[in-house]
Amino acid sequence: MRFVNSYLSKIKEYVIKNNLTYSIDTMGCQMNENDSLKYSGILESMGFKEADSKTANLILFNTCCVRENAENTLFGRLGFLKSRKIKEKNVYIVVVGCMSQQKHILDKIKVSYPFVDIVLGTNAMSIFPEKLYNAIINNKKSIEYIEVGNEIEEEVPIKYDDKFKASVSIIYGCNNFCSYCIVPYVRGRERSRTPQDIINDINELAKKGYKEIMLLGQNVNSYGNDFKEDSLKGYTFPKLLKEIEKINGIEIIRFMSPHPKDFSDELIETIKNSKKIARQIHLPLQSGSSKILKEMNRKYTKEKYLEIVEKLKKADKNISFSTDIIVGFPNETEQDFKETLDVVKKVGFDQVYMFIYSKRVGTRAANMTDETKPEEKVNRLERLKSLYEEMLPELNKKMIGKSYKVLVEGKSKNNDKLFTGRTSQNKVVVFEANKQDIGKIKNVEIESEHLWYLKGKIVDD
Ligand code: SF4
């Protein structure tokens, strides 16, 4: 479905005449961040200008529902806006994203926050301009539940916030139903964009000077499994990666997140043979205990996970790993937790996103009994954090003396004289450079490590 929307121009005159501004508050994952760029693109096509959240006329919350406390955050922020809505003219409040795809959230907004103007779910960008037109011109609110459809909205205006790096969604939704996860319920089933639409987007980005692409999806490596057309049947994620590799100008390809259960040998071979795919793989572990993984419905074991890591390390010893780990899943025992620590020791992750299990209403795990005390869960999280931070300097030290290709992103925030960028392994490096180097790929030799970043110097190619 192409995004053609007559409401964009219909409202533009009014928006410009009244100098209307917008601000977006994004919670959650990179998919949401990408969606927020699209909401920015839509609003700017309507004539809105970006402004500070304290003064903006339109405040859009792009919500996440992975963690329970996100709901409290949203309601706190909505409550804060009530007085502005009462006192000021031309203030509009919009809630979109995963949280607003849940009926109980809509009911709560209707009852406790009736001053909110628009609530839309996860797959409703094409009706947003019409809803906004009605809110602004006809003073008509829109808080209604809309099922997540199967359609993919193409050609939505997008406003990238970086000149050299861009994210591109390749697949929406998820079919996996991990027992703790709400995503399949709020983002629907897997829907892959066609290779042509993705390639067109990346070609355009390359023409504009973008060098690094992040391919996004809840489960990128099941890309293509849903294709029904004969011409696309059998089109896989590795095939897509090979096509993107051919695009001139794109130098670094990243993707997030692959699922271990779908990490095929073909994908490993494609990474091995690629000159552009980053030497960093984000491989969500969630737990190192095969028993807990089964309870989580992850469809792989500890051994299978370690086998993939070994194959990747064998394919290229420079590959670094990052992961997500849930601590304190219902009935995770001390032994189960030790299995997680064991995997962390064996893999040597450069980045670990760790969370204490958060119960989500509507998921299978929400009905599981849980004997583990909250303080025990906190203790496990701290032990995991300590292990990770103990191991990190050793991993960093292995990089000292070697040189890496780094995309120079800009000036360092903490030191005006230094510039910053990332290695293919996604390691932050600071080094001396010139303004003219921004956006270029430079060879940087690593000189020292500082836990969360490395220091280096530009060396000849
Ligand atoms: S793969 Fe599992 S954890 Fe990831 S979005 Fe799908 S259901 Fe959630």
Side-chain angles (χ1 to χ4, degrees):
M1 181 175 72
R2 307 282 132 182
F3 183 93
V4 184
N5 210 305
S6 53
Y7 285 92
L8 294 182
S9 48
K10 241 176 163 179
I11 200 175
K12 201 167 180 171
E13 203 183 315
Y14 180 90
V15 172
I16 293 173
K17 204 170 139 204
N18 289 280
N19 279 324
L20 296 188
T21 56
Y22 77 96
S23 160
I24 299 184
D25 185 345
T26 309
M27 306 165 192
C29 67
Q30 296 212 21
M31 295 288 281
N32 259 20
E33 279 174 20
N34 188 266
D35 283 350
S36 287
L37 299 177
K38 289 181 183 157
Y39 276 108
S40 288
I42 296 172
L43 287 164
E44 297 209 356
S45 305
M46 289 173 145
F48 283 86
K49 295 258 180 314
E50 198 168 4
D52 189 75
S53 63
K54 291 192 188 92
T55 56
N57 297 99
L58 184 145
I59 302 102
L60 185 146
F61 294 96
N62 191 5
T63 62
C64 164
C65 58
V66 169
R67 321 222 71 75
E68 203 171 11
N69 62 8
E71 287 181 16
N72 303 334
T73 309
L74 173 71
F75 294 132
R77 291 181 191 169
L78 289 179
F80 188 71
L81 283 171
K82 188 177 179 182
S83 61
R84 269 198 74 196
K85 186 78 189 164
I86 295 167
K87 281 189 222 144
E88 294 173 40
K89 233 185 97 198
N90 276 342
V91 172
Y92 307 98
I93 304 170
V94 180
V95 182
V96 300
C98 295
M99 210 191 287
S100 48
Q101 194 63 50
Q102 296 171 287
K103 283 190 178 127
H104 74 274
I105 297 288
L106 261 82
D107 292 342
K108 183 151 182 178
I109 291 179
K110 272 186 196 163
V111 174
S112 308
Y113 305 90
F115 52 89
V116 170
D117 295 282
I118 300 170
V119 181
L120 286 176
T122 55
N123 199 22
M125 269 178 213
S126 52
I127 55 169
F128 171 61
E130 181 186 349
K131 301 284 177 195
L132 190 55
Y133 177 89
N134 283 330
I136 293 177
I137 307 294
N138 302 325
N139 199 18
K140 197 173 152 213
K141 290 188 187 304
S142 172
I143 303 177
E144 59 188 298
Y145 181 79
I146 303 164
E147 289 283 345
V148 190
N150 273 328
E151 297 198 308
I152 295 179
E153 297 166 313
E154 289 295 349
E155 294 171 17
V156 180
I158 185 160
K159 183 198 170 197
Y160 282 108
D161 56 355
D162 190 293
K163 282 192 192 146
F164 311 108
K165 298 191 300 180
S167 55
V168 175
S169 296
I170 62 165
I171 178 169
Y172 299 98
C174 182
N175 287 0
N176 294 321
F177 292 92
C178 299
S179 64
Y180 53 83
C181 185
I182 194 81
V183 166
Y185 305 93
V186 294
R187 284 202 176 252
R189 295 298 82 73
E190 285 171 3
R191 308 173 302 280
S192 303
R193 296 181 66 203
T194 67
Q196 205 48 56
D197 281 324
I198 297 168
I199 301 292
N200 288 349
D201 278 0
I202 301 178
N203 268 323
E204 281 305 308
L205 289 163
K207 274 188 216 150
K208 289 180 185 155
Y210 284 86
K211 299 257 168 37
E212 182 175 317
I213 294 296
M214 168 69 90
L215 305 174
L216 291 178
Q218 243 73 43
N219 188 3
V220 283
N221 49 345
S222 57
Y223 175 80
N225 288 352
D226 57 313
F227 285 142
K228 305 267 181 314
E229 307 82 341
D230 284 344
S231 59
L232 287 175
K233 266 189 197 155
Y235 198 102
T236 59
F237 181 55
K239 234 178 174 169
L240 179 70
L241 286 169
K242 284 178 205 156
E243 284 301 313
I244 298 171
E245 177 104 12
K246 291 181 202 155
I247 299 178
N248 281 335
I250 298 302
E251 313 244 10
I252 304 163
I253 305 166
R254 298 185 189 273
F255 53 82
M256 193 168 195
S257 291
H259 194 304
K261 81 173 169 60
D262 297 314
F263 218 105
S264 63
D265 287 346
E266 187 194 0
L267 178 54
I268 295 172
E269 204 52 29
T270 306
I271 295 167
K272 182 181 170 183
N273 296 329
S274 167
K275 294 211 166 24
K276 295 186 178 178
I277 299 173
R279 269 31 199 161
Q280 190 246 351
I281 303 296
H282 182 78
L283 198 58
L285 170 67
Q286 309 304 6
S287 169
S289 153
S290 296
K291 180 195 102 192
I292 294 292
L293 286 169
K294 194 154 192 277
E295 291 290 302
M296 287 176 162
N297 196 30
R298 291 289 292 172
K299 301 191 181 88
Y300 55 88
T301 59
K302 172 186 177 181
E303 290 70 30
K304 176 75 192 161
Y305 184 94
L306 288 170
E307 190 188 310
I308 299 164
V309 170
E310 277 320 302
K311 281 184 185 172
L312 282 162
K313 283 183 176 175
K314 213 170 143 204
D316 187 337
K317 61 179 179 354
N318 286 316
I319 291 178
S320 76
F321 295 89
S322 61
T323 198
D324 303 320
I325 295 177
I326 297 171
V327 167
F329 186 77
N331 296 319
E332 177 193 71
T333 62
E334 176 61 21
Q335 185 49 39
D336 293 321
F337 176 65
K338 281 186 174 152
E339 300 275 353
T340 299
L341 295 181
D342 184 49
V343 177
V344 171
K345 280 181 205 151
K346 286 189 167 122
V347 178
F349 293 105
D350 280 87
Q351 267 170 309
V352 180
Y353 301 93
M354 49 188 101
F355 311 93
I356 291 181
Y357 167 73
S358 179
K359 189 176 181 171
R360 306 313 295 130
V361 177
T363 61
R364 201 157 59 76
N367 301 323
M368 293 179 183
T369 52
D370 189 5
E371 307 282 310
T372 318
K373 292 198 175 77
E375 46 287 15
E376 178 54 31
K377 296 187 181 192
V378 172
N379 174 277
R380 285 179 195 167
L381 187 79
E382 278 164 7
R383 284 159 62 202
L384 174 61
K385 191 167 168 259
S386 301
L387 173 65
Y388 161 58
E389 287 183 10
E390 257 168 48
M391 293 180 70
L392 197 53
E394 285 313 308
L395 294 168
N396 288 343
K397 275 178 198 156
K398 285 187 187 155
M399 299 178 82
I400 295 175
K402 294 182 189 155
S403 59
Y404 295 88
K405 291 206 181 315
V406 171
L407 173 64
V408 186
E409 291 175 13
K411 282 199 166 180
S412 156
K413 281 189 189 120
N414 305 321
N415 185 335
D416 210 29
K417 293 199 177 72
L418 295 176
F419 286 71
T420 178
R422 279 167 197 271
T423 67
S424 179
Q425 290 74 10
N426 209 24
K427 289 280 196 183
V428 176
V429 194
V430 293
F431 45 87
E432 282 182 16
N434 298 311
K435 249 184 170 174
Q436 296 88 310
D437 295 328
I438 296 175
K440 293 188 182 140
I441 296 195
K442 293 278 167 187
N443 258 346
V444 177
E445 187 185 309
I446 307 303
E447 295 177 306
S448 57
E449 75 87 21
H450 304 263
L451 197 62
W452 305 119
Y453 70 97
L454 306 166
K455 225 169 163 191
K457 63 170 186 230
I458 294 184
V459 289
D460 289 341
D461 285 339

